[in-house]
Amino acid sequence: MSQQRHGSTPGNAPGERTGAVTAFPDLPEATIARLPEYLRALHNLGGAGADTVSSEGLSAAAGVNSAKLRKDLSHLGSYGTRGVGYDVTLLIEQIEYVLGLDQRRAVCLVGLGNLGHALAGYDGFASRGFKIVALFDADASKVGEEIQGLTVRHIEELGRAAVEENIAIGVIATPAGAAQAVADVLVDAGVTSILNFAPCVLSVPANVDVRKVDLAIELQILSFHEHRKASLTALPGGRSATAAGNQEAVGS
Amino acid sequence: MSQQRHGSTPGNAPGERTGAVTAFPDLPEATIARLPEYLRALHNLGGAGADTVSSEGLSAAAGVNSAKLRKDLSHLGSYGTRGVGYDVTLLIEQIEYVLGLDQRRAVCLVGLGNLGHALAGYDGFASRGFKIVALFDADASKVGEEIQGLTVRHIEELGRAAVEENIAIGVIATPAGAAQAVADVLVDAGVTSILNFAPCVLSVPANVDVRKVDLAIELQILSFHEHRKASLTALPGGRSATAAGNQEAVGS
DNA sequence: TAGATTGTTAATCGATTAACAATC
DNA sequence: TAGATTGTTAATCGATTAACAATC
């Protein structure tokens, strides 16, 4: 994995969040990371006309085992019906509520190189309810460029704009050398969630959540497995193939 | 997280790999995912002139705690010197060996939409030793286009080309609807590692490793944390900030 | 020798999983 | 009632962490 931690890491004592009990469910990190996958599967099932789905059916669609799915959903409360399954619409609503997807969160993108350009136009964000509302770059030659209906602004405007436009999530797609400075500006502007595509560790206050996506690291992990498999097939007991899917997802 | 599993998942009995003991280290999945991060930190340190680094120093640069780093490195064998630290060059070599980065692995990219375009030109691949050697798309209007010195070929050529050019890793950046068919072709062509950017679960044989990167899922996970934090600050005991970094990385 | 730092141990924690009682 | 399927339990597994003995 290549995710940076939140909450339970040093600097965040257990139970520090609040003395009072809150209605907000305290979900295991692993569960949180799977909820979006369940949501996607549910949207597919709903679109295909299903009213109800069993843990077996939904878990297959999401690529996990059914016990894990039921355990995950049990953390949200009890929304299934024994002997029947889960109501698709109800479960979608519940997961969207927990993930906070019923609220619009303004996203800004910093760094409009190759990758930033693609992210600015990435359908998958819009189709799943996220809208990038502001673009920034340090390169004067990029400032003023129109991308997806937005004008690229100079990074010096980032701080003020992030406050004024109430940016909740900042996406960093700059080179590694610039990322920490951008993160600092975002944090100062009150942004508390950062998605970092730059290949570097960011240092942020404990209340700020950072997720990191490092595309090269993904390839390196696959390279390890290629190496491992090659070392096995080179041996007498080496195998070529067996059966069903074995996949790992980024995040954690 | 949103990684698909490998190895230890159903269909892969423990110890099935081989009856014989192999020299290849059997690393915990969590360790494997961190090795690339250590490697990046080591390259930075080496570039800055360091010959030697302590577990404290390296772990800080990689954003993990030092006990975890030492534990991870101990799986590779003993390459540190008590009282001194780790030899930077030696450790780089060792990690690169384990990750199989001393061998060139041909990578192909399928799907040249917005994201695929960016991936084709992504500096981070080349700078860390991966070279995309072939591009494919189903859209006739894209076929023939030159990107980064490569000509986009029609997806019907994928199978034959993947065999002939000995492709080891396939990157899927198609829409979700096309991804499984592409994966099937890759698998038939003998590709055993897939990096999937399409928002869907792929079904592949047990010997094929799939890692999934879902950019929207990352935002949804951040959205959860935004929602959680908002529900806390709305309470009497709500806090605004505390201290040092809390980050999570995509991947296992 | 004294100081520093690794490699390992053992305790703890969180996540996974199979099994099944509860219940529709 | 009989069949189906959830929600929960408890066992297991893997990962994290602090502490420290080994050793440079």
Side-chain angles (χ1 to χ4, degrees):
Chain A
M1 207 160 326
S2 113
Q3 279 322 28
Q4 296 185 283
R5 304 314 309 288
H6 88 111
S8 54
T9 10
N12 223 347
E16 184 190 32
R17 287 172 184 171
T18 167
V21 179
T22 145
F24 202 77
D26 202 358
L27 305 177
E29 201 58 36
T31 296
I32 297 161
R34 282 188 294 262
L35 290 179
E37 202 68 62
Y38 301 154
L39 190 56
R40 188 189 48 69
L42 284 164
H43 278 301
N44 287 347
L45 288 162
D51 291 333
T52 256
V53 64
S54 67
S55 63
E56 201 61 55
L58 180 54
S59 68
V64 303
N65 92 20
S66 65
K68 193 186 285 185
L69 171 79
R70 288 197 301 278
K71 183 82 167 170
D72 284 339
L73 295 185
S74 76
H75 291 295
L76 306 184
S78 292
Y79 293 91
T81 306
R82 289 163 138 105
V84 178
Y86 299 90
D87 182 283
V88 172
T89 306
L90 188 66
L91 193 50
I92 286 176
E93 280 171 13
Q94 176 60 12
I95 294 178
E96 288 187 339
Y97 167 74
V98 171
L99 292 178
L101 301 179
D102 47 357
Q103 291 159 58
R104 277 285 155 280
R105 296 181 198 281
V107 177
C108 75
L109 170 61
V110 187
L112 286 142
N114 240 322
L115 182 62
H117 238 93
L119 294 173
Y122 182 56
D123 290 336
F125 288 157
S127 72
R128 283 184 277 178
F130 293 96
K131 193 164 175 5
I132 293 175
V133 300
L135 306 176
F136 302 92
D137 201 289
D139 183 347
S141 75
K142 292 215 179 77
V143 173
E145 186 181 343
E146 280 253 334
I147 300 175
Q148 303 285 325
L150 292 171
T151 303
V152 178
R153 289 182 262 176
H154 193 272
I155 201 164
E156 283 187 351
E157 298 179 37
L158 171 58
R160 206 166 54 95
V163 173
E164 281 175 6
E165 293 162 46
N166 200 18
I167 302 289
I169 302 178
V171 178
I172 300 180
T174 65
Q180 182 63 57
V182 169
D184 291 343
V185 173
L186 287 169
V187 168
D188 281 345
V191 172
T192 49
S193 289
I194 294 175
L195 179 53
N196 180 29
F197 287 91
C200 64
V201 175
L202 296 180
S203 159
V204 298
N207 66 314
V208 177
D209 286 279
V210 176
R211 292 191 66 84
K212 184 181 172 201
V213 176
D214 188 319
L215 305 176
I217 283 184
E218 298 305 320
L219 287 188
Q220 291 176 69
I221 294 171
L222 288 173
S223 173
F224 168 85
H225 289 296
E226 284 295 303
H227 190 198
R228 178 179 53 74
K229 285 180 283 198
S231 82
L232 294 178
T233 50
L235 289 172
R239 308 190 47 120
S240 56
T242 329
N246 53 340
Q247 313 189 11
E248 252 186 279
V250 176
S252 194
Chain B
M1 221 163 309
S2 114
Q3 279 322 24
Q4 298 184 285
R5 303 314 311 288
H6 87 112
S8 55
T9 12
N12 223 348
E16 184 190 34
R17 288 171 182 171
T18 168
V21 179
T22 145
F24 201 78
D26 204 357
L27 304 178
E29 201 58 36
T31 297
I32 297 162
R34 283 188 293 263
L35 290 179
E37 201 69 61
Y38 301 154
L39 189 56
R40 189 189 48 68
L42 283 164
H43 278 301
N44 288 347
L45 288 162
D51 291 334
T52 258
V53 64
S54 68
S55 62
E56 202 59 54
L58 181 53
S59 67
V64 304
N65 90 23
S66 66
K68 192 187 285 185
L69 171 80
R70 287 197 301 277
K71 184 82 170 168
D72 284 339
L73 295 185
S74 74
H75 292 295
L76 307 183
S78 292
Y79 293 91
T81 306
R82 288 165 141 106
V84 178
Y86 299 90
D87 181 283
V88 171
T89 306
L90 188 67
L91 193 51
I92 286 176
E93 279 170 13
Q94 175 61 11
I95 295 178
E96 289 187 338
Y97 167 75
V98 170
L99 292 178
L101 301 179
D102 47 357
Q103 293 158 57
R104 278 286 157 278
R105 297 179 197 282
V107 178
C108 75
L109 170 62
V110 188
L112 286 143
N114 239 322
L115 183 61
H117 238 93
L119 293 173
Y122 182 56
D123 291 335
F125 288 156
S127 71
R128 281 184 278 177
F130 294 96
K131 193 167 177 357
I132 292 175
V133 300
L135 305 176
F136 301 93
D137 201 290
D139 183 346
S141 75
K142 293 216 180 77
V143 173
E145 186 182 341
E146 280 252 336
I147 301 176
Q148 304 285 322
L150 293 171
T151 304
V152 178
R153 289 181 263 176
H154 193 272
I155 200 164
E156 283 185 351
E157 298 178 38
L158 171 59
R160 205 166 56 94
V163 172
E164 282 175 4
E165 292 162 46
N166 201 19
I167 303 288
I169 301 178
V171 178
I172 301 180
T174 66
Q180 182 63 57
V182 170
D184 292 344
V185 174
L186 288 170
V187 168
D188 281 345
V191 172
T192 50
S193 289
I194 294 175
L195 180 53
N196 180 29
F197 287 91
C200 64
V201 175
L202 295 179
S203 162
V204 297
N207 65 314
V208 177
D209 286 278
V210 176
R211 292 191 65 85
K212 185 182 171 201
V213 177
D214 189 320
L215 305 177
I217 283 183
E218 299 305 321
L219 287 189
Q220 290 175 69
I221 294 171
L222 288 173
S223 173
F224 168 85
H225 290 295
E226 282 296 302
H227 190 196
R228 178 180 52 74
K229 284 180 285 199
S231 82
L232 295 179
T233 50
L235 288 172
R239 308 189 46 120
S240 55
T242 328
N246 53 339
Q247 313 188 13
E248 252 185 282
V250 176
S252 296

